Amino acid sequence: NREEQKEKIKELLKGQNFICQEILEGNTKLTKYNKNPRTVNTLRCVTLCMNGKASLFGMYLRMTAGDTINDNVSFSTKTNKDVATANCYVGILPGGILSEFGLCRADRAKKFYESPSGIKFAGEKLEDYERIKAFVTDTHLRRFPMLGFIAWDITIDKNDTIRVVEINLDSQDIDDHHLFNPSVFEEKFEEYCECVNKKLTFNITYK
């Protein structure tokens, strides 16, 4: 019965340190791109908070090409130099359209035009793009307004709920985003420059 189960759990946990967490299952909207359907795909989204507003300026989708359940593209480079089975990623352009090509960090010179599961990128669209964009920008502004850049790892679970896998505060690089969308700063370039100049002027004056 339930009470006996509770007592068994208490006995197991006695004197031990455990981390208990929910098992996260990915939505087929994303897992369909993997060779291994058990992988929980993540979308790397980078947001910038400036002048009281948060904006999204880059997004890409990670996929698994081998049997691993880890979709981390950096990890695959360290452990697997074979482009055919290393993890890979594809850019998500403004509006949710997938880039026509994907890349692998094991060999960035090699482009490929379909997912590890065989889906052609051309013509594909991330239907939840606007919903994810609103989530990361709203959450950045509401919860972390003191942080300038955030790199989010976002997924959609089997219940169609947006979930935050992690946020990164030390890897908000834009190299991978530029490979798919060279004009990530174009829309707000003047505003960026003005904001940076103000901070530089303040720091020089203050010192």
Side-chain angles (χ1 to χ4, degrees), residues 70-186:
N70 186 338
D71 73 345
N72 191 307
V73 291
S74 297
F75 178 77
S76 68
T77 308
K78 299 174 183 176
T79 60
N80 191 347
K81 298 297 183 181
D82 182 4
V83 176
T85 57
N87 296 339
C88 48
Y89 58 109
V90 62
I92 309 293
L93 305 178
I97 303 297
L98 269 64
S99 170
E100 293 186 356
F101 64 91
L103 296 169
C104 171
R105 286 186 181 171
D107 183 2
R108 280 180 172 162
K110 181 178 175 60
K111 296 180 180 179
F112 55 98
Y113 298 89
E114 61 181 41
S115 73
S117 63
I119 299 174
K120 290 185 177 180
F121 294 134
E124 282 288 297
K125 183 177 182 179
L126 177 64
E127 59 184 86
D128 289 289
Y129 176 83
E130 294 297 336
R131 186 162 69 108
I132 293 169
K133 176 182 177 181
F135 177 86
V136 293
T137 53
D138 292 349
T139 306
H140 189 161
L141 188 60
R142 182 164 43 88
R143 298 271 182 123
F144 309 106
M146 74 295 293
L147 301 176
F149 281 100
I150 296 180
W152 308 76
D153 288 340
I154 299 291
T155 193
I156 302 173
D157 70 14
K158 64 178 182 179
N159 298 317
D160 206 35
T161 302
I162 295 175
R163 306 288 290 269
V164 178
V165 176
E166 67 178 16
I167 63 172
N168 300 274
L169 304 179
D170 63 349
S171 55
Q172 307 94 311
D173 56 280
I174 62 173
D175 296 4
D176 293 311
H177 301 282
H178 265 305
L179 293 171
F180 299 108
N181 180 17
S183 58
V184 290
F185 284 114
E186 182 178 14

Side-chain angles (χ1 to χ4, degrees), residues 25-33 37 41 119 156-158:
E25 296 183 43
N27 195 295
T28 54
K29 294 176 182 179
L30 301 181
T31 60
K32 66 180 181 180
Y33 296 108
N41 302 65
I119 299 174
I156 302 173
D157 70 14
K158 64 178 182 179

